[in-house]
Amino acid sequence: MFQISNDDIASKRILDCPGGACSFTAVANQRGGKAKSVDIAYAYSWDILYAKGKEDIKHAMEQMSKAQDQYKWNYFSNLADLLDHRTHALGLSTTDRRANPENYIEAALPQLPFQDKQFDLILSAHFLFMYGERLSLQFHLDTLQEMMRVAEEEIRIYPIIQLDGRRYPLLDEVLSYVDREGWTSELVNVSYEFQRGANQMLKLSR
């Protein structure tokens, strides 16, 4: 979804924001990376977050079983395959957080506890835009401003649609803000598409 290469992982300081109970940081650092994750959920201990992750996966599977036609079953072959992937990712994340707690930082957006330009690349998946009905436009703009503060090179956000599959309706306002700030924006087609219509990411840079 982010078009990340092994060279990117090896050479760039990457922040997963918000990282949740996902496995990017664990896998990236196993490959020699310098990745960190930040999330409000890290206020919970690893064992509590693991239990919550299991419940979240169970709830997601129940909901998705009722709306399977809203998804493309090519990367994941079926619900059972998706369940295996998500359970495995949760396990990797939990094991890595126990072993390397310094890579999992608690924080609540739109504030980030990092220095200016501390990371080369910030990745943000399934949060901004996706919850556009719950998160205000101002929250999005404040979060992007804070992400850009701590990014040396680039921010990548995926996807640009909401949970209901519609394009985030205030995306043009976001892009106008980006222009006013003097940043560069690019909508990039990606090969990963699980939720139908979720086939683009937004790249932002100075």
Side-chain angles (χ1 to χ4, degrees), residues 1-2 122 124 129 144 154-160 171 174-175 178 184-190 200-205:
M1 67 183 70
F2 286 121
I122 296 179
S124 187
F129 308 148
L144 292 178
E154 191 173 88
I155 302 166
R156 299 183 188 180
I157 303 166
Y158 172 91
I160 62 166
L171 185 61
V174 171
L175 296 178
V178 167
T184 298
S185 64
E186 182 183 5
L187 289 171
V188 180
N189 293 330
V190 298
Q200 286 188 311
M201 69 170 167
L202 175 63
K203 294 172 66 173
L204 301 176
S205 58

Side-chain angles (χ1 to χ4, degrees), residues 1-157:
M1 67 183 70
F2 286 121
Q3 298 181 339
I4 297 294
S5 68
N6 286 328
D7 286 343
D8 291 331
I9 289 173
S11 63
K12 296 184 184 296
R13 302 162 298 166
I14 301 177
L15 177 66
D16 188 5
C17 175
C22 299
S23 61
F24 174 80
T25 292
V27 174
N29 291 343
Q30 286 174 2
R31 298 182 182 182
K34 298 177 285 292
K36 293 185 182 295
S37 290
V38 63
D39 200 294
I40 192 173
Y42 301 147
Y44 296 109
S45 61
W46 67 264
D47 53 334
I48 293 177
L49 188 57
Y50 178 78
K52 287 181 174 293
K54 293 281 283 187
E55 285 299 312
D56 287 346
I57 291 172
K58 178 181 177 182
H59 176 71
M61 294 301 104
E62 291 171 352
Q63 296 303 309
M64 293 174 70
S65 67
K66 303 172 186 176
Q68 294 187 50
D69 60 339
Q70 296 179 19
Y71 302 90
K72 298 183 71 170
W73 299 96
N74 44 23
Y75 187 87
F76 305 108
S77 56
N78 51 42
L79 278 172
D81 185 39
L82 175 63
L83 175 61
D84 286 345
H85 274 80
R86 291 194 171 176
T87 302
H88 181 62
L90 175 62
L92 287 175
S93 172
T94 302
T95 298
D96 191 59
R97 188 179 172 209
R98 290 182 67 186
N100 303 288
E102 69 280 2
N103 290 332
Y104 296 84
I105 299 98
E106 175 196 351
L109 290 168
Q111 281 78 43
L112 292 171
F114 304 114
Q115 299 175 2
D116 293 357
K117 301 181 180 180
Q118 185 170 336
F119 298 94
D120 299 309
L121 177 61
I122 296 179
L123 308 178
S124 187
H126 300 105
F127 180 62
L128 293 176
F129 308 148
M130 180 155 276
Y131 296 95
E133 295 181 349
R134 307 178 198 176
L135 302 173
S136 69
L137 173 62
Q138 192 60 52
F139 176 88
H140 280 76
L141 301 183
D142 291 345
T143 296
L144 292 178
Q145 187 68 241
E146 183 71 346
M147 286 182 175
M148 190 62 78
R149 179 185 67 80
V150 303
E152 175 77 24
E153 298 177 5
E154 191 173 88
I155 302 166
R156 299 183 188 180
I157 303 166

